Amino acid sequence: MKFNKYYASALLAFIIWGFFSLALKPLHDYPSLDILFYRVFFSTTFLLVINFAFRINLLKKSLELFQSFSKKKKQNAVLLTTAGGFLLVFNWFLFMYAVNHVSLQSASLAYLICPIITTVLAFIILKEKLDNWQWVAVAICVISCMILSYGHATELMYSFVIATSFALYLISQRRNNEFDKFLVLTIQLVIASLVLLPFYSKFSATVPTESLFYMMMGLIVVLFTIIPLYLNLFALKGMNSSAVGILMYTNPMINFLLALFYFKENIQFSQLIAYSLIGISILIFNKKVLF
């Protein structure tokens, strides 16, 4: 594993997501589900406009490429892209449900468990190889997650389901490398919008009228949704799912540092130990890149 454009893309994606709370905090008075609805709908609209306004030639070439595939290859491309869309919206919906109806602890634990599940599933399904030091890093991550989840069995169950859905997304998209990633992301968000649309009329609150909501939503759509998702998909063209998964720990590490130093939240000693272990595991897993 080398530090190249794929590694840099994955790292940048998770660094960006690590600061997501800065955009969400100003919207704390709005229902989480509404934020999800508008995030997906606005992102989909934005991507469709870009593709049909500026990328028509690429769309035509992509269609020609798809038509040149064998029947089996077409089925695989459709299956992987469609599965990616469903897994994305399923993951986001479960995350918002956990925040609203279970606990913030369960949502936070999901980000910590996901890299471990991704690494193990990539080893089993994709036959990705890890050296001994990388398995040591995974073991340290497991210990840190056990520390954080101690006494929270229900939260751990929800965290496991949320984490597994995103791990499966990463693994499925590792094999979905035939088409332009911007186009793949557009199709997946269209699917996500179609899945959420029937729920909008029943579960959405009144349409927001405050300019702050739309300003922050614009930031969330571009900076915290489209850009990092595209970087993530691009990284999977040249990196193992397990390596991308471990870099995901950059996200909760930044969240933890923001909570500690920016939001001035109370931090338990066990959390300091657990996040210190996570930091060590990231260094060990990426030692060939860093040293």
Side-chain angles (χ1 to χ4, degrees):
M1 186 170 61
K2 300 178 180 179
F3 188 87
N4 51 26
K5 60 184 180 181
Y6 302 111
Y7 188 99
S9 295
L11 182 60
L12 181 58
F14 293 120
I15 288 175
I16 291 172
W17 272 325
F19 291 95
F20 190 23
S21 59
L22 296 179
L24 284 177
K25 279 289 185 179
L27 301 178
H28 67 276
D29 291 331
Y30 295 92
S32 297
L33 199 54
D34 271 12
I35 296 173
L36 174 63
F37 285 141
Y38 289 107
R39 181 188 187 187
V40 173
F41 296 156
F42 288 174
S43 297
T44 304
T45 303
F46 184 77
L47 287 175
L48 286 173
V49 169
I50 290 178
N51 276 288
F52 285 104
F54 305 106
R55 310 178 89 233
I56 288 294
N57 288 336
L58 188 144
L59 294 179
K60 291 179 180 178
K61 290 179 181 179
S62 297
L63 181 59
E64 292 172 0
L65 176 63
F66 179 76
Q67 291 174 337
S68 69
F69 288 171
S70 64
K71 183 178 179 180
K72 184 177 180 180
K73 201 170 183 179
K74 286 180 180 177
Q75 290 175 341
N76 286 338
V78 171
L79 177 62
L80 289 172
T81 302
T82 304
F86 276 99
L87 286 169
L88 264 185
V89 72
F90 182 64
N91 175 263
W92 289 351
F93 180 80
L94 281 178
F95 181 83
M96 292 297 179
Y97 180 85
V99 170
N100 276 344
H101 302 287
V102 184
S103 71
L104 190 58
Q105 173 83 358
S106 63
S108 300
L109 277 174
Y111 280 113
L112 298 171
I113 296 172
C114 186
I116 300 170
I117 297 174
T118 302
T119 301
V120 173
L121 289 180
F123 177 77
I124 296 172
I125 299 173
L126 301 179
K127 310 301 180 184
E128 293 181 0
K129 303 298 182 182
L130 299 178
D131 61 32
N132 291 335
W133 280 109
Q134 288 175 320
W135 279 117
V136 169
V138 172
I140 293 174
C141 291
V142 172
I143 294 171
S144 67
C145 290
M146 290 173 64
I147 293 173
L148 290 170
S149 63
Y150 180 76
H152 300 278
T154 302
E155 286 86 348
L156 184 61
M157 180 186 68
Y158 279 98
S159 300
F160 183 82
V161 177
I162 295 169
T164 301
S165 63
F166 195 72
L168 289 172
Y169 173 77
L170 289 177
I171 290 172
S172 65
Q173 299 316 294
R174 178 73 176 94
R175 290 183 171 178
N176 192 18
N177 286 324
E178 298 289 348
F179 296 100
D180 171 74
K181 290 304 182 183
F182 198 84
L183 176 59
V184 170
L185 179 58
T186 302
I187 296 172
Q188 289 176 345
L189 283 177
V190 167
I191 293 169
S193 293
L194 292 175
V195 172
L196 287 177
L197 197 58
F199 298 96
Y200 176 75
S201 60
K202 183 174 181 180
F203 295 103
S204 64
T206 57
V207 177
T209 57
E210 296 82 2
S211 58
L212 174 66
F213 178 85
Y214 293 100
M215 288 171 57
M216 299 311 299
M217 191 55 60
L219 188 64
I220 288 172
V221 164
V222 177
L223 183 59
F224 293 107
T225 302
I226 293 174
I227 292 176
L229 277 177
Y230 172 76
L231 290 171
N232 209 343
L233 287 174
F234 178 78
L236 288 168
K237 291 180 66 176
M239 286 182 68
N240 288 341
S241 303
S242 56
V244 174
I246 289 296
L247 284 179
M248 192 186 302
Y249 277 119
T250 309
N251 182 343
M253 284 293 292
I254 293 174
N255 281 329
F256 176 74
L257 293 174
L258 284 174
L260 181 62
F261 295 109
Y262 184 78
F263 294 115
K264 307 297 183 181
E265 295 181 2
N266 293 325
I267 303 297
Q268 298 177 359
F269 180 72
S270 60
Q271 290 176 296
L272 287 173
I273 296 297
Y275 280 98
S276 297
L277 289 174
I278 289 172
I280 292 170
S281 70
I282 293 173
L283 294 176
I284 293 174
F285 194 93
N286 295 283
K287 69 183 184 68
K288 290 183 179 179
V289 176
L290 301 173
F291 306 107

